[in-house]
Amino acid sequence: MTELIPAPRSVVAGQGEVRLTAHSRIHAEPGTEGVGHWLRTALWQATGLPLREGREPDDTDGDGIGLRLDPARGPEEYRLVSDRHGVLIEGGGAAGVFRGAQTLRQLLGPDAFRRAPVRRDRTWTVPYVTVEDSPRFRWRGLMLDVARHFMPKDGVLRYLDLMAAHKLNVLHLHLTDDQGWRVEIRRYPKLTETGSWRARTKIGHRASPLWDDRPHGGHYTQDDIREIVAYAAERHISVVPEIDVPGHSQAAIAAYPELGNSDVVDTASLTVWDTWGINPNVLAPTDTTLRFYEGVLEEVLELFPADAGPFSPFVHIGGDECLKEQWRASDTAQKQIGNLGLADEEALQSWFIGHFDQWLAARGRRLIGWDEILEGGLAPGAAVSSWRGYSGGVAAARAGHDVVMCPQQWVYLDYRQDAGPEEPVPIGYVRTLEDVYRFEPVPSELTGEEAARVLGTQANVWTEVMEDQERVDYQTFPRLAALAEVAWSDLPAPADRDFAGFERRMSAHYRRLDALGVAYRPPTGPLPWQRRPGVLGRPIDGPPPNC
């Protein structure tokens, strides 16, 4: 089973195999104990083998697993050797050893991804092989929108396991939007008492006449968040929270009307939004609003500690799609523009974002936001998620800012996967598995120094038309496997990539996804129960602009 995804840097096959038995042991050297605990638990569940703590592999009968740090390697770099001495995984850090342990699980076969043995008489073998591997990008992420449709805590933990299996290391958690507020803030209880529930939900695109009249909602308690962060850290995944400001904020305004532009609209009559699109009800640019969100962020920083992973210092503040009509009509907003000596409403948003840029920096954190936050300038430590194509990321890199490339025309996984009429709720451009596999995160126009500003890439999963876990699975997989290889492996230029070889390896990987219970889109198209006949989408014809 050497059909590995993502593709390693080097694989050299040998002759023979290591056979794991009830007598096999795992030896975790200092610094790898956490990985050893995870691996022992995962393999015991799948195989039934006890895999007790043991001696180093070369001191055994050749059927053990050893975990070891090698400071000469990079933090996520690893070397896996399976030979007559057993299996040895060496990593530059515990994260590297963990990535190697994921490769070992793939080498054991699809049933190694199950939660209980399917056959007690199964023989478990690892082929003799040497795998040398390291990631191309530091940031390899998944943005999960739990605001539009809430994903319960167990679903988030499940996605962390799926990410770990694909060597992804950043979960960008979109926690707030017009349609729901998903994180408990004890200082402001109405954010979840009122803001986490909506009375009904639009089914399909916002032009659809269909409604689900059941209330929808939910939120994570503070202990839920702590559990998610700790679970992620055990899998060497950083969780980056997103608290969206100053747009996409109707759920917060519904809970606390003073946050909105009450001199323009009756904010006390607003409810959590039940449809999709860009909402005109944005935060009022006042000191009251700033103090409120400072209170929110104080609790967020405590829930998402900066030492929980290499990207844990980041806090995402959104900053996208903030309509300015209410600010133009608001005497309060116009006075604020005058008091601050600003040019216009665009500069007012820049001031708003800049305030939290400085506030976070003063607390040792780093702000990251969607590429609209570039407008008006950013503090040196801020980073940009480039979603409106490549241009925002190019501008940010040239201005000396770190960038996460996630252009909508390549890695928005809510976009439809085929042009056929059976594709459920068709949104946006057609983005096939091959399209994602040929995505290149670093634009060719960047110089070497500028290209170094590209931290990496992530896939974005917006859930307006994904009402449950199965729909999220369908839109996310198998395309997330392609994104994982783009982010991890040192691939050739897009046109030269061996997609046929990737498809061949995917034939083995689908069996792993089956074992993991992933409701992915089959290569032949949606299964009957995956279709959504009669639910209106918003398809866009033709190829997307590559800019």
Side-chain angles (χ1 to χ4, degrees):
M1 293 299 299
T2 55
E3 302 292 332
L4 302 174
I5 288 179
R9 185 176 69 221
S10 170
V11 178
V12 178
Q15 296 292 324
E17 60 187 25
V18 174
R19 178 170 295 189
L20 301 182
T21 71
H23 302 290
S24 299
R25 296 175 180 265
I26 292 179
H27 174 70
E29 292 194 2
T32 70
E33 295 91 345
V35 181
H37 174 75
W38 175 87
L39 183 61
R40 183 177 295 108
T41 301
L43 295 187
W44 173 77
Q45 288 178 332
T47 68
L49 300 177
L51 297 172
R52 298 180 181 87
E53 174 65 26
R55 299 167 295 173
E56 296 183 56
D58 54 7
D59 292 332
T60 71
D61 296 327
D63 64 352
I65 300 170
L67 309 177
R68 177 186 300 166
L69 296 182
D70 178 0
R73 300 182 185 277
E76 291 188 278
E77 184 179 3
Y78 71 89
R79 180 174 184 261
L80 183 154
V81 178
S82 170
D83 60 16
R84 62 186 180 85
H85 299 296
V87 179
L88 176 64
I89 302 172
E90 298 175 304
V97 177
F98 184 79
R99 308 301 175 218
Q102 294 293 345
T103 297
L104 172 61
R105 198 157 62 140
Q106 291 195 19
L107 291 170
L108 282 165
D111 285 345
F113 290 85
R114 296 189 180 275
R115 296 185 182 181
V118 293
R119 293 194 309 274
R120 288 289 179 179
D121 58 349
R122 164 74 182 268
T123 299
W124 294 93
T125 61
V126 183
Y128 281 5
V129 67
T130 299
V131 180
E132 301 261 8
D133 206 3
S134 60
R136 179 187 178 192
F137 290 109
R138 289 179 288 157
W139 183 301
R140 307 178 305 280
L142 172 69
M143 192 288 303
L144 191 57
D145 170 17
V146 297
R148 271 51 177 272
H149 277 99
F150 179 63
M151 179 178 285
K153 179 197 68 178
D154 285 352
V156 177
L157 301 181
R158 172 178 177 266
Y159 258 83
L160 287 166
D161 281 329
L162 293 174
M163 290 174 64
H166 291 83
K167 298 185 172 70
L168 299 173
N169 69 340
V170 180
L171 174 63
H172 169 177
L173 206 53
H174 184 79
L175 289 165
T176 73
D177 216 295
D178 300 302
Q179 295 85 3
W181 184 284
R182 304 298 180 209
V183 55
E184 177 190 17
I185 302 298
R186 290 175 177 166
R187 191 175 312 187
Y188 306 120
K190 288 192 288 187
L191 285 172
T192 47
E193 291 172 1
T194 298
S196 70
W197 292 91
R198 58 179 181 262
R200 62 176 187 169
T201 299
K202 174 67 69 174
I203 299 176
H205 182 251
R206 59 182 175 270
S208 167
L210 304 176
W211 293 90
D212 182 344
D213 289 321
R214 297 172 299 174
H216 176 85
H219 72 275
Y220 308 111
T221 67
Q222 294 205 350
D223 282 346
D224 288 339
I225 292 293
R226 293 187 181 97
E227 181 182 356
I228 288 168
V229 171
Y231 195 87
E234 289 174 353
R235 287 146 184 80
H236 299 275
I237 296 172
S238 303
V239 183
V240 175
E242 181 179 354
I243 305 296
D244 212 338
V245 297
H248 291 287
S249 298
Q250 183 162 319
I253 298 169
Y256 292 92
E258 63 271 23
L259 297 175
N261 297 285
S262 56
D263 59 345
V264 177
V265 296
D266 179 12
T267 55
S269 68
L270 294 177
T271 59
V272 178
W273 212 25
D274 56 13
T275 189
W276 320 120
I278 303 177
N279 191 306
N281 294 302
V282 302
L283 296 175
T286 64
D287 290 343
T288 297
T289 302
L290 296 183
R291 300 292 88 75
F292 183 95
Y293 274 87
E294 287 172 0
V296 168
L297 289 172
E298 283 176 2
E299 296 193 27
V300 167
L301 297 191
E302 191 274 327
L303 295 173
F304 296 88
D307 60 355
F311 296 108
S312 296
F314 281 99
V315 176
H316 206 292
I317 49 73
D320 62 314
E321 297 181 329
C322 179
L323 300 179
K324 309 298 192 299
E325 283 78 7
Q326 289 185 0
W327 287 359
R328 294 187 182 98
S330 166
D331 288 340
T332 300
Q334 292 303 310
K335 287 178 182 177
Q336 186 74 293
I337 289 173
N339 292 340
L340 295 170
L342 302 175
D344 53 22
E345 292 77 20
E346 299 297 333
L348 186 60
Q349 175 167 338
S350 179
W351 164 81
F352 195 104
I353 298 298
H355 173 85
F356 290 106
D357 194 347
Q358 297 172 18
W359 189 90
L360 288 167
R363 289 154 181 80
R365 297 303 191 97
R366 293 187 64 185
L367 180 146
I368 184 169
W370 303 111
D371 53 60
E372 287 95 330
I373 69 172
L374 279 168
E375 298 159 6
L378 280 177
V384 169
S385 302
S386 186
W387 76 275
R388 295 179 300 177
Y390 288 104
S391 57
V394 170
R398 287 176 173 167
H401 295 287
D402 288 338
V403 178
V404 176
M405 283 292 187
C406 48
Q408 60 181 325
Q409 68 269 37
W410 287 102
V411 293
Y412 268 35
L413 300 188
D414 53 321
Y415 281 15
R416 57 190 172 138
Q417 303 183 65
D418 188 83
E422 295 179 340
E423 202 65 25
V425 200
I427 299 295
Y429 297 103
V430 173
R431 293 287 79 184
T432 65
L433 181 65
E434 182 173 0
D435 290 329
V436 176
Y437 190 67
R438 297 194 188 280
F439 164 56
E440 173 48 52
V442 180
S444 58
E445 62 262 41
L446 294 181
T447 67
E449 184 177 351
E450 292 165 351
R453 288 289 184 180
V454 179
L455 295 174
T457 184
Q458 67 182 33
N460 293 343
V461 180
W462 300 105
T463 62
E464 289 94 333
V465 299
M466 303 179 209
E467 70 278 7
D468 54 32
Q469 178 176 286
E470 286 71 26
R471 282 286 294 128
V472 175
D473 280 4
Y474 178 91
Q475 293 296 136
T476 303
F477 288 97
R479 292 182 295 181
L480 189 64
L483 185 278
E485 183 147 313
V486 168
W488 177 275
S489 306
D490 192 10
L491 299 176
D496 298 328
R497 292 177 187 172
D498 181 11
F499 180 68
F502 177 75
E503 281 190 304
R504 185 193 68 250
R505 287 182 286 119
M506 278 301 301
S507 65
H509 199 65
Y510 285 121
R511 295 171 57 203
R512 300 178 191 127
L513 296 179
D514 288 333
L516 287 163
V518 178
Y520 58 85
R521 181 190 190 275
T524 54
L527 299 168
W529 54 88
Q530 293 175 321
R531 300 166 190 161
R532 296 292 186 275
V535 179
L536 184 67
R538 186 183 61 89
I540 304 175
D541 294 327
N546 190 25
C547 60

